[in-house]
Amino acid sequence: MIISNEIVEKHGLKLEEYENIKKLLKRNPNLLELGIFSAMWNEHCSYKSSRIHLKKLPTHGSQVIQGPGENAGVIDIGDDDAIVFKIESHNHPSYIEPYQGAATGVGGILRDVFTMGARPIALLNSIHFGSPSHPKTKSLLNGVVSGIGGYGNCIGIPTVAGETKFNDTYNENILVNAMAVGHTKKNKIFYSKAKGINKSVVYVGSKTGRDGIHGASMASAEFDENSDEKKPTVQVGDPFTEKLLLEACLELMKDDSIIAIQDMGAAGLTSSSVEMASKGSLGVELELNKVPCREENMTPYEMMLSESQERMLIILEDNKEDHARKIFQKWDLDFVIIGRTTDTKNLTLKFKNELVGEIPIEALASKAPVYDRKWTKKKLPKSNLKLKELKKIKMEDALIKILSSPNHSNKSWITNQYDQMVMCDTLQRSGSDAAIIRIHNKDKAIAVSVDSSANYCKSHPVTGGKQIVCENWRNLISVGAKPLAITNCLNFGNPENESVMGEFAECLEGIKEACEFLNFPVVSGNVSFYNGTNKKNIFPTPVIGGVGLINNLSKPIGHNFKKLNNYIFLIGKTFGHLEQSCFLKENYSLVEGRPPEINLTNEKNNGELVLKLISENLVSSAHDISSGGLIVALSEMSIGSNLGVKIEKPKRLRNSIEYFFGEDQGRYVLEIDQKKHKQVEKILNTNNIFYENIGITQEKYFEIEDEMKTNINDLFKINHKWYKNY
């Protein structure tokens, strides 16, 4: 078959890339080889536009066992325990086919975790949709939520936390990011690096079908008016088979049978075999006629590029084949030796005893293109908000508008579709700053949270990047956890656009700066480019997933008020920053100005002091202040507990709206028992932490001096009504 320019472009390759392929091969590729290059050189697999920027992120620390480069990151939580975690995107598939796209996103991230030898203990998600009024939003929302719940519930892993946001920027390109967390022992971590010559390469799991072919390439291109035609590129998931695969892999991992193991994710058999060989500087030979297929007459091209789910590739130690086969047959899964490792450093493909493809491994991996794309720097927007010129609004009316909005309304109608308690180790679930999962049979737990802030990142990417790291840090601290490390899912538009590439580079600069300052390293992640339709790019939306450690299970706290007549302390200074705030967006449809300033020194000092107070049992409840400001944080604490507050305005208050709705960073609300408040004040003063004693908890009413007084039950109803009316 003659490879035309049209065929090259249909494979997502540029003509200059094709010329480079011919130079590396010293000949023209056949169609199978072209497809393999297409899979390995696309943005989704090669990170060709992001690699030079990702290298700048801090990835090391005393707590880090494995950083980026493996299926998932690994951190040390003491007592020979390790936590394995990662977040990934499944944006394009979820827009095309929401249920299966979201479901297979969950399945894929779970395999990344148990491939490392960890039993998954928690799932999280960050999902973003267009305007609720957009004709596609409702069906996309329901399909995605059903897919997440359907897969997680069936496989028996609790979905414990997440975020759901709505913004016009996602009207034609939704975001579905899934995060998985697992637990293992430090001496039972498995890697994907191939070792040894003539070792068995084994295919295990489900059979290969024609679903998902060119899925990775599809995820590396913008949508257009023909996006619905890409449904065949979306994989189909089977959580029940994944459960069998999980148990079979973990059983085999109990002994020393496995040399290397790799999930067949994006680009399927191609990426798994190439990545294993590349890491080990080896070659691999595959006999494709031995690949278990569920459809007739599948070609080598289809086998290598299929992204059928619930499959693994394993390299075994000598004489372990029969032992491993028995395990997988017991779990009713395919187990077939389809190849061997070689010293050729080539990917050698045979079909019915004929050589059908041969490519140097380095040509697919280390020789993949790396682009230092041009990008433009974004100036900090001018601060030009004139609050006095806006139509006056009562504080109560403004609060009601926010609490009843799609972004701030209660999301239990989503989270109730997820099994949050299966495995019986979930101590705190969705609705808190962070979920808490006990380490089974131990007196310690981890806290997990996901965060994003597209509007901040669009306004000023560097500041926005810093902000989401800091918010995740605060969320973990607010439940009494020491922040340990993060994973990130970087969702952006077309990297060939200089402004988009600038947003990416500067967001990463902000993430880098915050992570370094807070000793909060990045151990895993994913880049999702080309999120947009017909040249219209989404807002930059990096998502941060964080993990923290709680060493004593008597210490964790939630954000719901606990007791009448307790004092309410505000930690951190309030300047009244309203630009880019939800107050302006929900009440005036204004999205303008600069995001709030990030003072990393204050973030660190305030956070560490709050964690100290919690660890010494001096705090009854805590909540970080983020979107909506102080008044929304107080409302959430009241609504969740059915306890009211009586708040006094500061004597030197410049403006009530700015004080209560401002989104200044680095702040917390703490509930302090009256018997302990002097001790708390002493610690705060000794450590030079700015604080205000702003009020007290009370029965029934949410009250702010001279501004509003409303029944908590009314706020509850307001906060829970949006979806019922949708």
Side-chain angles (χ1 to χ4, degrees), residues 202-230:
V202 184
Y203 175 117
V204 300
S206 291
K207 288 179 168 57
T208 295
R210 291 187 170 96
D211 55 317
I213 294 173
H214 290 302
S217 298
M218 177 267 293
S220 303
E222 289 183 332
F223 284 142
D224 55 29
E225 61 275 2
N226 300 314
S227 58
D228 285 344
E229 297 176 4
K230 298 179 179 180

PDB file of all heavy atoms in Angstrom, residues 202-230:
ATOM      1  N   VAL A 202       3.544 -11.801  28.235  1.00  0.00           N
ATOM      2  CA  VAL A 202       2.258 -12.451  28.414  1.00  0.00           C
ATOM      3  C   VAL A 202       1.116 -11.445  28.332  1.00  0.00           C
ATOM      4  O   VAL A 202       1.154 -10.383  28.969  1.00  0.00           O
ATOM      5  CB  VAL A 202       2.195 -13.179  29.775  1.00  0.00           C
ATOM      6  CG1 VAL A 202       0.871 -13.943  29.902  1.00  0.00           C
ATOM      7  CG2 VAL A 202       3.369 -14.135  29.926  1.00  0.00           C
ATOM      8  N   TYR A 203       0.119 -11.792  27.567  1.00  0.00           N
ATOM      9  CA  TYR A 203      -1.116 -11.015  27.444  1.00  0.00           C
ATOM     10  C   TYR A 203      -2.117 -11.612  28.434  1.00  0.00           C
ATOM     11  O   TYR A 203      -2.388 -12.817  28.412  1.00  0.00           O
ATOM     12  CB  TYR A 203      -1.618 -11.146  26.008  1.00  0.00           C
ATOM     13  CG  TYR A 203      -2.955 -10.525  25.675  1.00  0.00           C
ATOM     14  CD1 TYR A 203      -3.030  -9.495  24.741  1.00  0.00           C
ATOM     15  CD2 TYR A 203      -4.152 -10.975  26.223  1.00  0.00           C
ATOM     16  CE1 TYR A 203      -4.260  -8.926  24.383  1.00  0.00           C
ATOM     17  CE2 TYR A 203      -5.381 -10.407  25.893  1.00  0.00           C
ATOM     18  CZ  TYR A 203      -5.426  -9.398  24.978  1.00  0.00           C
ATOM     19  OH  TYR A 203      -6.632  -8.842  24.630  1.00  0.00           O
ATOM     20  N   VAL A 204      -2.713 -10.759  29.313  1.00  0.00           N
ATOM     21  CA  VAL A 204      -3.722 -11.228  30.258  1.00  0.00           C
ATOM     22  C   VAL A 204      -4.922 -10.277  30.259  1.00  0.00           C
ATOM     23  O   VAL A 204      -4.801  -9.098  29.928  1.00  0.00           O
ATOM     24  CB  VAL A 204      -3.170 -11.344  31.700  1.00  0.00           C
ATOM     25  CG1 VAL A 204      -2.011 -12.319  31.767  1.00  0.00           C
ATOM     26  CG2 VAL A 204      -2.744  -9.998  32.255  1.00  0.00           C
ATOM     27  N   GLY A 205      -6.084 -10.846  30.651  1.00  0.00           N
ATOM     28  CA  GLY A 205      -7.281 -10.016  30.782  1.00  0.00           C
ATOM     29  C   GLY A 205      -8.325 -10.312  29.747  1.00  0.00           C
ATOM     30  O   GLY A 205      -8.556 -11.467  29.380  1.00  0.00           O
ATOM     31  N   SER A 206      -8.972  -9.268  29.248  1.00  0.00           N
ATOM     32  CA  SER A 206     -10.025  -9.401  28.253  1.00  0.00           C
ATOM     33  C   SER A 206      -9.447  -9.624  26.853  1.00  0.00           C
ATOM     34  O   SER A 206      -8.271  -9.357  26.598  1.00  0.00           O
ATOM     35  CB  SER A 206     -10.904  -8.152  28.230  1.00  0.00           C
ATOM     36  OG  SER A 206     -11.667  -8.027  29.362  1.00  0.00           O
ATOM     37  N   LYS A 207     -10.310 -10.065  25.964  1.00  0.00           N
ATOM     38  CA  LYS A 207      -9.918 -10.212  24.564  1.00  0.00           C
ATOM     39  C   LYS A 207      -9.882  -8.851  23.876  1.00  0.00           C
ATOM     40  O   LYS A 207     -10.494  -7.874  24.315  1.00  0.00           O
ATOM     41  CB  LYS A 207     -10.891 -11.147  23.856  1.00  0.00           C
ATOM     42  CG  LYS A 207     -10.749 -12.619  24.254  1.00  0.00           C
ATOM     43  CD  LYS A 207     -11.752 -13.483  23.524  1.00  0.00           C
ATOM     44  CE  LYS A 207     -11.443 -14.952  23.684  1.00  0.00           C
ATOM     45  NZ  LYS A 207     -11.381 -15.415  25.071  1.00  0.00           N
ATOM     46  N   THR A 208      -9.161  -8.802  22.758  1.00  0.00           N
ATOM     47  CA  THR A 208      -8.999  -7.578  21.980  1.00  0.00           C
ATOM     48  C   THR A 208     -10.128  -7.453  20.958  1.00  0.00           C
ATOM     49  O   THR A 208     -10.430  -8.400  20.230  1.00  0.00           O
ATOM     50  CB  THR A 208      -7.638  -7.583  21.265  1.00  0.00           C
ATOM     51  OG1 THR A 208      -6.595  -7.539  22.249  1.00  0.00           O
ATOM     52  CG2 THR A 208      -7.505  -6.386  20.341  1.00  0.00           C
ATOM     53  N   GLY A 209     -10.731  -6.263  20.921  1.00  0.00           N
ATOM     54  CA  GLY A 209     -11.757  -5.973  19.931  1.00  0.00           C
ATOM     55  C   GLY A 209     -11.374  -4.754  19.103  1.00  0.00           C
ATOM     56  O   GLY A 209     -10.250  -4.247  19.190  1.00  0.00           O
ATOM     57  N   ARG A 210     -12.317  -4.282  18.343  1.00  0.00           N
ATOM     58  CA  ARG A 210     -12.054  -3.139  17.467  1.00  0.00           C
ATOM     59  C   ARG A 210     -12.421  -1.805  18.117  1.00  0.00           C
ATOM     60  O   ARG A 210     -12.312  -0.753  17.464  1.00  0.00           O
ATOM     61  CB  ARG A 210     -12.814  -3.302  16.139  1.00  0.00           C
ATOM     62  CG  ARG A 210     -12.274  -4.436  15.269  1.00  0.00           C
ATOM     63  CD  ARG A 210     -12.918  -4.460  13.894  1.00  0.00           C
ATOM     64  NE  ARG A 210     -12.240  -5.384  12.997  1.00  0.00           N
ATOM     65  CZ  ARG A 210     -12.612  -6.637  12.765  1.00  0.00           C
ATOM     66  NH1 ARG A 210     -13.688  -7.125  13.417  1.00  0.00           N
ATOM     67  NH2 ARG A 210     -11.936  -7.403  11.940  1.00  0.00           N
ATOM     68  N   ASP A 211     -12.837  -1.810  19.386  1.00  0.00           N
ATOM     69  CA  ASP A 211     -13.189  -0.557  20.050  1.00  0.00           C
ATOM     70  C   ASP A 211     -11.932   0.221  20.441  1.00  0.00           C
ATOM     71  O   ASP A 211     -10.913  -0.329  20.843  1.00  0.00           O
ATOM     72  CB  ASP A 211     -14.052  -0.824  21.296  1.00  0.00           C
ATOM     73  CG  ASP A 211     -13.414  -1.792  22.280  1.00  0.00           C
ATOM     74  OD1 ASP A 211     -12.855  -2.810  21.830  1.00  0.00           O
ATOM     75  OD2 ASP A 211     -13.499  -1.525  23.499  1.00  0.00           O
ATOM     76  N   GLY A 212     -12.028   1.522  20.325  1.00  0.00           N
ATOM     77  CA  GLY A 212     -10.935   2.377  20.771  1.00  0.00           C
ATOM     78  C   GLY A 212      -9.791   2.551  19.805  1.00  0.00           C
ATOM     79  O   GLY A 212      -8.791   3.184  20.147  1.00  0.00           O
ATOM     80  N   ILE A 213      -9.890   1.987  18.593  1.00  0.00           N
ATOM     81  CA  ILE A 213      -8.796   2.164  17.637  1.00  0.00           C
ATOM     82  C   ILE A 213      -8.650   3.643  17.300  1.00  0.00           C
ATOM     83  O   ILE A 213      -9.616   4.319  16.997  1.00  0.00           O
ATOM     84  CB  ILE A 213      -9.044   1.319  16.374  1.00  0.00           C
ATOM     85  CG1 ILE A 213      -8.992  -0.173  16.717  1.00  0.00           C
ATOM     86  CG2 ILE A 213      -8.013   1.646  15.299  1.00  0.00           C
ATOM     87  CD1 ILE A 213      -9.383  -1.090  15.583  1.00  0.00           C
ATOM     88  N   HIS A 214      -7.428   4.134  17.415  1.00  0.00           N
ATOM     89  CA  HIS A 214      -7.090   5.548  17.217  1.00  0.00           C
ATOM     90  C   HIS A 214      -7.638   6.432  18.337  1.00  0.00           C
ATOM     91  O   HIS A 214      -7.775   7.642  18.172  1.00  0.00           O
ATOM     92  CB  HIS A 214      -7.576   6.077  15.860  1.00  0.00           C
ATOM     93  CG  HIS A 214      -6.817   5.515  14.694  1.00  0.00           C
ATOM     94  ND1 HIS A 214      -5.448   5.646  14.573  1.00  0.00           N
ATOM     95  CD2 HIS A 214      -7.235   4.811  13.629  1.00  0.00           C
ATOM     96  CE1 HIS A 214      -5.066   5.043  13.453  1.00  0.00           C
ATOM     97  NE2 HIS A 214      -6.117   4.515  12.864  1.00  0.00           N
ATOM     98  N   GLY A 215      -7.930   5.826  19.495  1.00  0.00           N
ATOM     99  CA  GLY A 215      -8.425   6.616  20.623  1.00  0.00           C
ATOM    100  C   GLY A 215      -7.428   7.654  21.087  1.00  0.00           C
ATOM    101  O   GLY A 215      -7.777   8.804  21.353  1.00  0.00           O
ATOM    102  N   ALA A 216      -6.150   7.271  21.190  1.00  0.00           N
ATOM    103  CA  ALA A 216      -5.114   8.214  21.626  1.00  0.00           C
ATOM    104  C   ALA A 216      -4.923   9.328  20.605  1.00  0.00           C
ATOM    105  O   ALA A 216      -4.699  10.490  20.960  1.00  0.00           O
ATOM    106  CB  ALA A 216      -3.799   7.476  21.863  1.00  0.00           C
ATOM    107  N   SER A 217      -5.012   8.990  19.326  1.00  0.00           N
ATOM    108  CA  SER A 217      -4.889  10.019  18.286  1.00  0.00           C
ATOM    109  C   SER A 217      -6.073  10.971  18.315  1.00  0.00           C
ATOM    110  O   SER A 217      -5.926  12.185  18.131  1.00  0.00           O
ATOM    111  CB  SER A 217      -4.774   9.359  16.907  1.00  0.00           C
ATOM    112  OG  SER A 217      -3.618   8.551  16.832  1.00  0.00           O
ATOM    113  N   MET A 218      -7.264  10.428  18.550  1.00  0.00           N
ATOM    114  CA  MET A 218      -8.454  11.261  18.668  1.00  0.00           C
ATOM    115  C   MET A 218      -8.327  12.242  19.820  1.00  0.00           C
ATOM    116  O   MET A 218      -8.773  13.393  19.733  1.00  0.00           O
ATOM    117  CB  MET A 218      -9.689  10.379  18.847  1.00  0.00           C
ATOM    118  CG  MET A 218     -10.991  11.115  19.048  1.00  0.00           C
ATOM    119  SD  MET A 218     -11.403  11.367  20.788  1.00  0.00           S
ATOM    120  CE  MET A 218     -11.713   9.676  21.317  1.00  0.00           C
ATOM    121  N   ALA A 219      -7.698  11.807  20.912  1.00  0.00           N
ATOM    122  CA  ALA A 219      -7.502  12.676  22.072  1.00  0.00           C
ATOM    123  C   ALA A 219      -6.416  13.713  21.842  1.00  0.00           C
ATOM    124  O   ALA A 219      -6.172  14.560  22.701  1.00  0.00           O
ATOM    125  CB  ALA A 219      -7.162  11.835  23.304  1.00  0.00           C
ATOM    126  N   SER A 220      -5.754  13.654  20.718  1.00  0.00           N
ATOM    127  CA  SER A 220      -4.691  14.600  20.388  1.00  0.00           C
ATOM    128  C   SER A 220      -5.083  15.511  19.232  1.00  0.00           C
ATOM    129  O   SER A 220      -4.242  15.998  18.486  1.00  0.00           O
ATOM    130  CB  SER A 220      -3.408  13.831  20.040  1.00  0.00           C
ATOM    131  OG  SER A 220      -3.018  12.990  21.097  1.00  0.00           O
ATOM    132  N   ALA A 221      -6.369  15.746  19.097  1.00  0.00           N
ATOM    133  CA  ALA A 221      -6.867  16.634  18.041  1.00  0.00           C
ATOM    134  C   ALA A 221      -8.099  17.368  18.533  1.00  0.00           C
ATOM    135  O   ALA A 221      -8.814  16.890  19.416  1.00  0.00           O
ATOM    136  CB  ALA A 221      -7.211  15.823  16.791  1.00  0.00           C
ATOM    137  N   GLU A 222      -8.317  18.558  17.972  1.00  0.00           N
ATOM    138  CA  GLU A 222      -9.494  19.329  18.316  1.00  0.00           C
ATOM    139  C   GLU A 222     -10.761  18.681  17.759  1.00  0.00           C
ATOM    140  O   GLU A 222     -10.723  17.933  16.780  1.00  0.00           O
ATOM    141  CB  GLU A 222      -9.393  20.749  17.758  1.00  0.00           C
ATOM    142  CG  GLU A 222      -8.381  21.638  18.450  1.00  0.00           C
ATOM    143  CD  GLU A 222      -8.395  23.038  17.877  1.00  0.00           C
ATOM    144  OE1 GLU A 222      -8.734  23.199  16.688  1.00  0.00           O
ATOM    145  OE2 GLU A 222      -8.088  23.995  18.605  1.00  0.00           O
ATOM    146  N   PHE A 223     -11.883  18.997  18.396  1.00  0.00           N
ATOM    147  CA  PHE A 223     -13.172  18.619  17.853  1.00  0.00           C
ATOM    148  C   PHE A 223     -13.554  19.555  16.713  1.00  0.00           C
ATOM    149  O   PHE A 223     -13.070  20.677  16.597  1.00  0.00           O
ATOM    150  CB  PHE A 223     -14.254  18.682  18.923  1.00  0.00           C
ATOM    151  CG  PHE A 223     -14.234  17.532  19.893  1.00  0.00           C
ATOM    152  CD1 PHE A 223     -14.518  17.738  21.232  1.00  0.00           C
ATOM    153  CD2 PHE A 223     -13.949  16.241  19.469  1.00  0.00           C
ATOM    154  CE1 PHE A 223     -14.512  16.698  22.135  1.00  0.00           C
ATOM    155  CE2 PHE A 223     -13.945  15.186  20.366  1.00  0.00           C
ATOM    156  CZ  PHE A 223     -14.225  15.416  21.701  1.00  0.00           C
ATOM    157  N   ASP A 224     -14.450  19.052  15.859  1.00  0.00           N
ATOM    158  CA  ASP A 224     -15.087  19.904  14.865  1.00  0.00           C
ATOM    159  C   ASP A 224     -16.538  19.465  14.732  1.00  0.00           C
ATOM    160  O   ASP A 224     -17.045  18.715  15.570  1.00  0.00           O
ATOM    161  CB  ASP A 224     -14.353  19.840  13.517  1.00  0.00           C
ATOM    162  CG  ASP A 224     -14.207  18.405  12.981  1.00  0.00           C
ATOM    163  OD1 ASP A 224     -15.079  17.561  13.287  1.00  0.00           O
ATOM    164  OD2 ASP A 224     -13.235  18.149  12.258  1.00  0.00           O
ATOM    165  N   GLU A 225     -17.211  19.910  13.707  1.00  0.00           N
ATOM    166  CA  GLU A 225     -18.635  19.590  13.542  1.00  0.00           C
ATOM    167  C   GLU A 225     -18.865  18.097  13.287  1.00  0.00           C
ATOM    168  O   GLU A 225     -20.004  17.620  13.348  1.00  0.00           O
ATOM    169  CB  GLU A 225     -19.258  20.415  12.415  1.00  0.00           C
ATOM    170  CG  GLU A 225     -18.631  20.189  11.033  1.00  0.00           C
ATOM    171  CD  GLU A 225     -17.393  21.061  10.820  1.00  0.00           C
ATOM    172  OE1 GLU A 225     -16.996  21.801  11.755  1.00  0.00           O
ATOM    173  OE2 GLU A 225     -16.823  20.988   9.710  1.00  0.00           O
ATOM    174  N   ASN A 226     -17.807  17.346  13.013  1.00  0.00           N
ATOM    175  CA  ASN A 226     -17.939  15.914  12.735  1.00  0.00           C
ATOM    176  C   ASN A 226     -17.537  15.047  13.930  1.00  0.00           C
ATOM    177  O   ASN A 226     -17.291  13.856  13.779  1.00  0.00           O
ATOM    178  CB  ASN A 226     -17.104  15.528  11.512  1.00  0.00           C
ATOM    179  CG  ASN A 226     -17.519  16.268  10.254  1.00  0.00           C
ATOM    180  OD1 ASN A 226     -18.707  16.376   9.961  1.00  0.00           O
ATOM    181  ND2 ASN A 226     -16.550  16.780   9.503  1.00  0.00           N
ATOM    182  N   SER A 227     -17.482  15.623  15.122  1.00  0.00           N
ATOM    183  CA  SER A 227     -16.974  14.901  16.283  1.00  0.00           C
ATOM    184  C   SER A 227     -17.806  13.672  16.625  1.00  0.00           C
ATOM    185  O   SER A 227     -17.286  12.670  17.124  1.00  0.00           O
ATOM    186  CB  SER A 227     -16.882  15.833  17.498  1.00  0.00           C
ATOM    187  OG  SER A 227     -18.105  16.396  17.811  1.00  0.00           O
ATOM    188  N   ASP A 228     -19.118  13.719  16.368  1.00  0.00           N
ATOM    189  CA  ASP A 228     -19.966  12.569  16.676  1.00  0.00           C
ATOM    190  C   ASP A 228     -19.587  11.326  15.875  1.00  0.00           C
ATOM    191  O   ASP A 228     -19.897  10.201  16.274  1.00  0.00           O
ATOM    192  CB  ASP A 228     -21.436  12.902  16.425  1.00  0.00           C
ATOM    193  CG  ASP A 228     -22.019  13.805  17.505  1.00  0.00           C
ATOM    194  OD1 ASP A 228     -21.391  13.920  18.582  1.00  0.00           O
ATOM    195  OD2 ASP A 228     -23.088  14.392  17.281  1.00  0.00           O
ATOM    196  N   GLU A 229     -18.907  11.531  14.755  1.00  0.00           N
ATOM    197  CA  GLU A 229     -18.497  10.398  13.941  1.00  0.00           C
ATOM    198  C   GLU A 229     -17.365   9.594  14.578  1.00  0.00           C
ATOM    199  O   GLU A 229     -17.004   8.524  14.092  1.00  0.00           O
ATOM    200  CB  GLU A 229     -18.071  10.884  12.551  1.00  0.00           C
ATOM    201  CG  GLU A 229     -19.211  11.539  11.754  1.00  0.00           C
ATOM    202  CD  GLU A 229     -18.734  12.106  10.429  1.00  0.00           C
ATOM    203  OE1 GLU A 229     -17.544  11.916  10.094  1.00  0.00           O
ATOM    204  OE2 GLU A 229     -19.545  12.743   9.724  1.00  0.00           O
ATOM    205  N   LYS A 230     -16.807  10.115  15.664  1.00  0.00           N
ATOM    206  CA  LYS A 230     -15.672   9.458  16.306  1.00  0.00           C
ATOM    207  C   LYS A 230     -16.081   8.459  17.382  1.00  0.00           C
ATOM    208  O   LYS A 230     -15.235   7.966  18.128  1.00  0.00           O
ATOM    209  CB  LYS A 230     -14.724  10.511  16.904  1.00  0.00           C
ATOM    210  CG  LYS A 230     -14.121  11.435  15.850  1.00  0.00           C
ATOM    211  CD  LYS A 230     -13.226  12.478  16.442  1.00  0.00           C
ATOM    212  CE  LYS A 230     -12.625  13.381  15.369  1.00  0.00           C
ATOM    213  NZ  LYS A 230     -11.724  14.428  15.919  1.00  0.00           N
TER     214      LYS A 230
END
